[in-house]
Amino acid sequence: MKFTQRAVARTPLHRALQRALKPALLGGLCLGAASAFGQYAVENLDRGLVAVDRGDGSVFVSWRWLGSEPENTAFNVYRDGVQLNNAPLTERTNFLDSGGNAGAQYSVETLINGQPQGQASTDVWGEQFLRIPLQRPAAGDGYSYSPNDASVGDLDGDGDYEIVVKWDPSNAKDNSQSGYTGNVYLDAYELDGTQLWRIDLGRNIRAGAHYTQFLVYDADSDGRAEVAVKTADGTRDGQGNVIGDANADHRNSGGYILSGPEYLTVFEGSTGRELDTVNYVPGRGNVSSWGDSYGNRVDRFLATIAYLDGQNPSFVFARGYYTRSVLAAWDFENGQLQQRWVFDSDDSGNGGYAGQGAHSLTVGDVDEDGRQEIVYGAMTVDDNGTGLYTTGLGHGDALHLSDMNPDRPGQEVFMVHECPSCYGQHGIEMHDAGTGQILWSDPGGNTDIGRGVAMDVDPNSRGYEAWASRGGLFSATGQTLSSSRPGPINFGVWWDGDLLRETLDREMIDKWNPATNSTERLLTAYQLGAASNNGTKGNPALSADLLGDWREEVIWRHSDNNALLLFTTTAPSDHRLRTLMHDPQYRVAISWQNSGYNQPPHPSFYLGSGMTEPPAPDITVVGDGGGSSSSSQSSSAPGDRLVLQEQDVCTHDGTVDSNHNGYTGGGFINTTNAVGSGIEWQVDVSEGGNYELSWIYANGASDDRSAGFWLNTSDARVRVGFPGTGSWDSWQPASTTAYLPAGSHRVSLEASTDGGLANIDRLEIAGDPVAQVGNCDSASSSSVSSSASSVSSVASSAVSSVQSSVAQSSSAPGGELSCTADTNDWGGGFVSEFTVSNNTDSPVDGWAVDITFGQAISVGNSWSADLDGSGTQYQASNVDYNGALAPGESVSFGLQGSPSPGSIDCQ
């Protein structure tokens, strides 16, 4: 037994093994507890089908490949019920119907394992854009309104996006400018222009690019997005209800608002109704402490969503970046905001983080620990609210994060800086996103570098290219490719059919031609009425992968300010990628795109010329979305699923209760608070295959109410974790994967702790073909029990040897520390559950265990530990949640492998 006085660090090998050891079929059963690996909760989107008349007698059809769908997903395309493709489409998610009919209806059928999963249908757009009419606010005294920034979310849980748009008055002000402004409004619209609600932020919220940063996201994972924004006295929600004092007017003679309460409010996405309001953190305090006394730097705000725990989205609202910077993270649970942490550059030890913020921020898992960090300009804040690093190069206007150089590990940050005395020789630079190490830089000419962008525009240069308002065109390694550079230095958009990105500036999309060092026009949207926002920034209202395949759409306001124009590409593409909106880093980028100086979104993986296929995203989709039969669907779930409610349970030790909110059906199973209390179900499958079993549960306790899962009469138990969900009204899935041979199966779940099981709402079984409810009175008839018997007879001596050899302990100075293992045969291999106990008189923070097997084994799956090794030698170390052991306390972890190990020595 080895000890450390801190948690064992996750090395790159640990992380690689953790990814590799996710469930894979081994012998008869493959198991993997969802609680052992982070899964990002994302929207349950529909097919996003769009068909566009190209004006040349053809119709372009495009649709989403979802992040939750397997590799063997294929598609058929129909026009008015007639199939157009000769064989299922497996290499692309778009189709050009050369004999198209603008009056036809197009449908796309999804196939998984060759089996139909349903169809989505759409009418044809008559133009390359969809006009979304808006309800323009009435003009004020000397000013009028135009639609400015926009964001999207599934506000009503139907699987497609609604748009939230911010209305700015024409007298909006930069923070450096005095003067009164009109009120700011937030509107929500369906894509057909149906207005859902309007929020009036009131006179105590000033209008301008730096004041109102709004977040649209499903923060509580109930399948419907919320809207969060800074509010004040007099804000009126979408139902007409006033927040704070309706009569208060905190504006001073210069139009600034430097007194009065400041709030953070979450609104219901479907109605605009206020859900919860708290004091904004940080408050303004002493105005001059932020860098000036008249109200400029005190009111510089930024905001984003971040998956700080690797699973659930959190709101992050910030204030200040020129001098003091403060970020506050909030979770939204059970209708209430709960503060997660606050980072303040004024706190002791954080002095180096002062003055490092930018006019924007970005988010990603920069240290590859499964949780997202906030890149706040030249500084990065870790997922736990502590400073990760700062480059010390100071404030800047442009910021980009992605895997820009696919030939080096991890992601990179490209940033330009403003202050020559701060940045020195690094005015234009790319640094390691996880450590801040400068990878390459350019001096910047001793001036403010006001623009900078990074994207892959040259297929002859590996990785992204980068350029700024000074210097030439740089490669991902810092080589100067050309003294010429693309003229647009603003946004990027994946638009045509290749993997290179095009430039998006004002109302134009251009493609860089490296042979001529010039750009070529692909779309001139102002000729169709489009207009950009934010003055010289020339931003669209929004650019994102909103519809169709993986390429991006652009939303501009119409020049008459009475509509939005949603443009989509009509260029065929031979490349197939899952929707970018199911890449958590890209999806979060859409939440922050409206924040400060708008920046383009980037995915977590390299997307460009010569890319390799990215792995499927580690996600769990939540909500009914486009018609899912359940409220939670895991990314590995193929096709439809069997849902077993309380009436489908064969036996249970407890009661069927209904005294908590959020369950489905007639109630939930509340088992007896005791080890061994359990629930049993009977299911039938017509063909053998991989199935995902997901128990939808609530655990309002603080401890993990883990359980053992097994099939039929097997003696082997595999752990499934049921960690706390925050309350007994909050439901989430705990999942594992199993191979079910054809036949009837008894599914058993038994409590491993004296608290009994978590409350179980239902069991969902996903696979193809869909499982059926079995007869509880019938005996199991599958090949599992017979194969288990034969394996048991062959391997009984080996298992006996294993069990006798592992019940041992090892000693260490200061007391006895023990490791034991309980091993059983499973299919053609084995399952081992290890227990690590602290028998000393002192607490332990972090542990590691050396495991020696009697013969070389292969590990198919592990849980509740980081595992490293191969052959006969492995080391298991604690994960974040089980490293601390009080005197006398024990923790468990497990693994599944093959073949039978003969013996196990654990110490």
Side-chain angles (χ1 to χ4, degrees):
M1 176 70 65
K2 299 178 180 179
F3 285 92
T4 61
Q5 294 307 307
R6 55 182 177 82
V8 177
R10 292 185 177 186
T11 67
L13 178 59
H14 282 142
R15 293 190 291 269
L17 281 169
Q18 187 180 45
R19 290 190 291 269
L21 294 175
K22 289 187 178 182
L25 179 62
L26 180 64
L29 183 64
C30 164
L31 299 146
S35 60
F37 306 103
Q39 286 189 317
Y40 296 88
V42 299
E43 298 145 315
N44 193 359
L45 298 174
D46 63 16
R47 191 57 59 195
L49 179 62
V50 61
V52 183
D53 182 2
R54 301 210 319 169
D56 59 0
S58 66
V59 172
F60 177 75
V61 186
S62 181
W63 59 92
R64 293 182 181 118
W65 178 28
L66 301 173
S68 56
E69 292 175 323
E71 292 290 333
N72 60 0
T73 304
F75 302 95
N76 291 322
V77 182
Y78 298 84
R79 184 205 319 131
D80 290 333
V82 178
Q83 185 171 329
L84 301 178
N85 53 303
N86 295 323
L89 302 174
T90 59
E91 302 297 327
R92 60 170 61 201
T93 50
N94 59 83
F95 185 87
L96 184 62
D97 181 13
S98 58
N101 181 352
Q105 185 176 76
Y106 285 82
S107 301
V108 168
E109 178 184 49
T110 305
L111 307 171
I112 296 179
N113 292 328
Q115 300 301 310
Q117 305 295 311
Q119 293 190 7
S121 300
T122 188
D123 295 328
V124 178
W125 291 10
E127 300 175 278
Q128 193 176 358
F129 61 87
L130 177 69
R131 182 184 177 94
I132 304 169
L134 303 176
Q135 302 299 313
R136 189 180 185 187
D141 184 9
Y143 60 89
S144 60
Y145 281 91
S146 61
N148 191 260
D149 292 330
S151 194
V152 295
D154 186 1
L155 301 181
D156 53 13
D158 63 357
D160 60 16
Y161 285 124
E162 287 74 42
I163 299 175
V164 176
V165 61
K166 178 177 70 133
W167 290 97
D168 269 354
S170 55
N171 62 354
K173 304 295 183 184
D174 183 81
N175 296 48
S176 62
Q177 302 169 333
S178 62
Y180 295 100
T181 73
N183 291 8
V184 176
Y185 299 98
L186 295 177
D187 281 6
Y189 295 91
E190 300 278 4
L191 294 185
D192 64 1
T194 300
Q195 186 181 27
L196 300 180
W197 45 258
R198 169 168 291 166
I199 294 169
D200 178 358
L201 294 182
R203 60 190 171 200
N204 293 308
I205 294 291
R206 204 166 186 243
H210 303 294
Y211 293 104
T212 293
Q213 327 300 339
F214 61 98
L215 299 178
V216 182
Y217 217 86
D218 183 7
D220 58 0
S221 297
D222 67 350
R224 296 176 299 278
E226 291 77 37
V227 177
V229 67
K230 184 174 181 286
T231 58
D233 280 341
T235 295
R236 195 175 295 271
D237 76 3
Q239 302 299 303
N241 303 306
V242 175
I243 295 171
D245 183 353
N247 299 315
D249 186 348
H250 302 296
R251 297 173 295 179
N252 66 18
S253 60
Y256 290 96
I257 299 142
L258 303 179
S259 63
E262 301 175 283
Y263 304 125
L264 173 63
T265 300
V266 177
F267 298 92
E268 187 173 54
S270 58
T271 66
R273 175 176 63 92
E274 176 198 3
L275 295 177
D276 193 30
T277 296
V278 297
N279 289 327
Y280 192 89
V281 176
R284 64 176 71 86
N286 184 350
V287 171
S288 60
S289 68
W290 297 88
D292 60 70
S293 59
Y294 70 96
N296 180 356
R297 297 182 175 188
V298 66
D299 279 352
R300 301 284 180 149
F301 299 102
L302 297 173
T304 186
I305 293 291
Y307 288 86
L308 300 173
D309 65 357
Q311 295 179 325
N312 305 294
S314 298
F315 296 121
V316 179
F317 280 85
R319 184 179 216 140
Y321 37 76
Y322 287 115
T323 53
R324 182 186 178 194
S325 295
V326 183
L327 293 77
W330 301 85
D331 297 334
F332 185 65
E333 300 176 356
N334 305 313
Q336 293 185 324
L337 283 163
Q338 301 175 17
Q339 190 175 104
R340 188 179 187 91
W341 49 253
V342 175
F343 174 88
D344 191 338
S345 63
D346 274 2
D347 285 348
S348 176
N350 290 342
Y353 292 83
Q356 302 301 312
H359 282 300
S360 60
L361 45 64
T362 184
V363 170
D365 179 12
V366 301
D367 56 5
E368 297 184 280
D369 65 353
R371 300 177 293 272
Q372 291 183 332
E373 286 73 42
I374 299 100
V375 181
Y376 200 77
M379 63 182 242
T380 295
V381 177
D382 206 351
D383 54 80
N384 61 4
T386 62
L388 186 63
Y389 67 81
T390 173
T391 67
L393 300 179
H395 171 74
D397 287 358
L399 177 67
H400 305 270
L401 167 70
S402 190
D403 186 4
M404 303 183 193
N405 184 349
D407 294 330
R408 67 176 301 277
Q411 299 191 64
E412 294 78 35
V413 172
F414 176 70
M415 186 176 177
V416 297
H417 299 275
E418 181 173 293
C419 169
S421 64
C422 305
Y423 68 65
Q425 297 300 305
H426 308 298
I428 303 167
E429 53 90 9
M430 185 175 288
H431 63 261
D432 185 298
T435 66
Q437 176 189 0
I438 304 297
L439 302 175
W440 60 264
S441 65
D442 187 79
N446 198 38
T447 188
D448 175 3
I449 313 299
R451 294 284 191 280
V453 71
M455 64 185 82
D456 187 19
V457 297
D458 185 348
N460 304 309
S461 173
R462 177 81 164 153
Y464 275 28
E465 289 70 52
W467 64 101
S469 50
R470 301 278 300 188
L473 181 64
F474 300 97
S475 73
T477 58
Q479 177 188 359
T480 300
L481 300 174
S482 169
S483 59
S484 301
R485 62 175 186 261
I489 316 175
N490 190 4
F491 258 60
V493 59
W494 281 286
W495 191 256
D496 65 4
D498 61 29
L499 295 171
L500 300 173
R501 209 170 192 185
E502 286 67 56
T503 64
L504 167 60
D505 189 61
R506 298 184 181 273
E507 304 88 18
M508 297 162 287
I509 295 176
D510 294 329
K511 189 172 187 68
W512 177 248
N513 185 338
T516 62
N517 287 331
S518 62
T519 55
E520 300 170 356
R521 182 62 44 83
L522 299 183
L523 178 68
T524 309
Y526 64 76
Q527 295 175 344
L528 300 170
S532 58
N533 290 327
N534 303 324
T536 60
K537 304 298 184 293
N539 306 130
L542 181 69
S543 177
D545 178 15
L546 301 176
L547 294 169
D549 64 21
W550 56 274
R551 290 170 293 173
E552 295 170 298
E553 282 65 44
V554 183
I555 300 177
W556 283 285
R557 65 182 173 94
H558 193 279
S559 57
D560 67 8
N561 292 321
N562 289 312
L564 297 176
L565 304 181
L566 191 163
F567 282 77
T568 190
T569 185
T570 59
S573 176
D574 293 331
H575 302 283
R576 182 172 102 150
L577 294 170
R578 291 175 171 89
T579 176
L580 298 183
M581 296 297 262
H582 273 171
D583 175 64
Q585 178 168 314
Y586 182 93
R587 181 62 186 92
V588 163
I590 305 309
S591 80
W592 56 247
Q593 189 178 132
N594 72 81
S595 193
Y597 288 176
N598 304 35
Q599 303 287 290
H602 300 280
S604 61
F605 54 89
Y606 171 62
L607 203 172
S609 178
M611 69 179 290
T612 58
E613 182 177 355
D618 187 15
I619 60 173
T620 296
V621 295
V622 295
D624 291 338
S628 170
S629 60
S630 70
S631 63
S632 179
Q633 178 183 351
S634 169
S635 61
S636 60
D640 293 331
R641 58 185 56 215
L642 170 66
V643 179
L644 298 162
Q645 299 282 19
E646 78 289 342
Q647 71 271 14
D648 302 312
V649 168
C650 294
T651 65
H652 64 81
D653 300 315
T655 58
V656 177
D657 294 342
S658 58
N659 58 325
H660 296 295
N661 298 319
Y663 63 87
T664 60
F668 54 85
I669 304 297
N670 179 8
T671 63
T672 304
N673 292 343
V675 173
S677 60
I679 309 174
E680 293 186 344
W681 300 262
Q682 192 79 18
V683 299
D684 298 339
V685 293
S686 59
E687 297 178 20
N690 292 328
Y691 287 81
E692 183 185 66
L693 292 85
S694 297
W695 290 270
I696 311 303
Y697 77 97
N699 179 7
S702 60
D703 59 319
D704 184 342
R705 295 198 173 185
S706 61
F709 155 65
W710 72 95
L711 290 175
N712 306 318
T713 59
S714 172
D715 290 330
R717 304 287 190 271
V718 173
R719 180 187 181 277
V720 179
F722 292 85
T725 60
S727 81
W728 296 106
D729 298 317
S730 179
W731 303 84
Q732 66 184 39
S735 303
T736 193
T737 307
Y739 179 82
L740 301 183
S744 186
H745 300 273
R746 181 58 60 101
V747 177
S748 300
L749 189 70
E750 183 178 273
S752 303
T753 70
D754 56 13
L757 294 175
N759 288 344
I760 304 296
D761 177 38
R762 61 192 184 275
L763 167 61
E764 299 179 358
I765 302 179
D768 185 25
V770 177
Q772 303 296 318
V773 179
N775 183 352
C776 290
D777 296 329
S778 66
S780 300
S781 61
S782 74
S783 58
V784 165
S785 55
S786 59
S787 65
S789 298
S790 62
V791 171
S792 178
S793 63
V794 172
S796 59
S797 60
V799 171
S800 176
S801 173
V802 169
Q803 291 174 328
S804 64
S805 67
V806 297
Q808 55 182 307
S809 63
S810 58
S811 298
E816 187 179 69
L817 312 167
S818 63
C819 171
T820 61
D822 181 20
T823 299
N824 290 277
D825 60 284
W826 193 282
F830 68 97
V831 173
S832 291
E833 187 86 8
F834 295 84
T835 301
V836 177
S837 301
N838 178 14
N839 299 323
T840 70
D841 297 328
S842 303
V844 172
D845 186 15
W847 51 265
V849 174
D850 289 327
I851 307 171
T852 302
F853 295 96
Q855 63 174 319
I857 61 127
S858 296
V859 174
N861 180 40
S862 68
W863 52 95
S864 301
D866 279 333
L867 198 66
D868 190 358
S870 63
T872 62
Q873 300 295 322
Y874 286 81
Q875 184 181 77
S877 57
N878 65 278
V879 290
D880 293 342
Y881 59 82
N882 66 2
L885 291 178
E889 189 176 10
S890 300
V891 295
S892 296
F893 68 93
L895 61 86
Q896 174 206 3
S898 67
S900 180
S903 63
I904 300 178
D905 181 57
C906 167
Q907 54 181 306

